[in-house]
Amino acid sequence: MDIPQIHSTSDADIGSMGQTYLVTGKQVALRHWREAPGEFSESHCRDYETVGYLLSGVIELELDGGRATLHSGDSWLVPCGAPHRYRVVESVVAIEATSPPARFGGRDAC
């Protein structure tokens, strides 16, 4: 039986893209983002699925040929292998979950 994890942000690791790693399980990982406005990121795809929730701010997301503007309270899904990029329009605070966990095996590296 697995022991439940309680994870304090004061003990959290910071990833190479500025993400704060929260709790990580066998099938899913949770991370926290704070990011200032900027230009579009380079288009990329990942070998994991990502779902996210925008706590505050505005993001433009280009995903598989379409573009959406996300506002506080909006959520998104980026399927595994889908080409995507984003631009922070207004400073954001967001939570994302990745499955399988992006933290292991270098999966969060650009």
Side-chain angles (χ1 to χ4, degrees), residues 55-92:
L55 294 165
S56 64
V58 178
I59 296 174
E60 284 184 295
L61 175 64
E62 287 186 358
L63 176 62
D64 207 19
R67 183 183 288 189
T69 301
L70 305 169
H71 300 271
S72 298
D74 290 342
S75 58
W76 64 89
L77 163 69
V78 176
C80 179
H84 65 284
R85 68 184 192 148
Y86 70 92
R87 177 174 78 94
V88 176
V89 177
E90 294 177 12
S91 292
V92 300

Side-chain angles (χ1 to χ4, degrees), residues 2-98:
D2 291 326
I3 298 172
Q5 293 184 43
I6 306 298
H7 196 83
S8 169
T9 56
S10 63
D11 297 328
D13 293 330
I14 305 298
S16 62
M17 297 178 286
Q19 70 277 35
T20 301
Y21 290 113
L22 304 174
V23 69
T24 299
K26 292 179 182 176
Q27 301 299 319
V28 67
L30 193 63
R31 56 192 182 182
H32 178 259
W33 294 90
R34 288 185 186 273
E35 197 165 335
E39 299 301 316
F40 267 102
S41 63
E42 292 294 319
S43 184
H44 55 276
C45 34
R46 302 281 190 234
D47 65 349
Y48 52 82
E49 179 176 76
T50 302
V51 294
Y53 180 77
L54 191 57
L55 294 165
S56 64
V58 178
I59 296 174
E60 284 184 295
L61 175 64
E62 287 186 358
L63 176 62
D64 207 19
R67 183 183 288 189
T69 301
L70 305 169
H71 300 271
S72 298
D74 290 342
S75 58
W76 64 89
L77 163 69
V78 176
C80 179
H84 65 284
R85 68 184 192 148
Y86 70 92
R87 177 174 78 94
V88 176
V89 177
E90 294 177 12
S91 292
V92 300
V93 177
I95 300 292
E96 282 187 332
T98 60

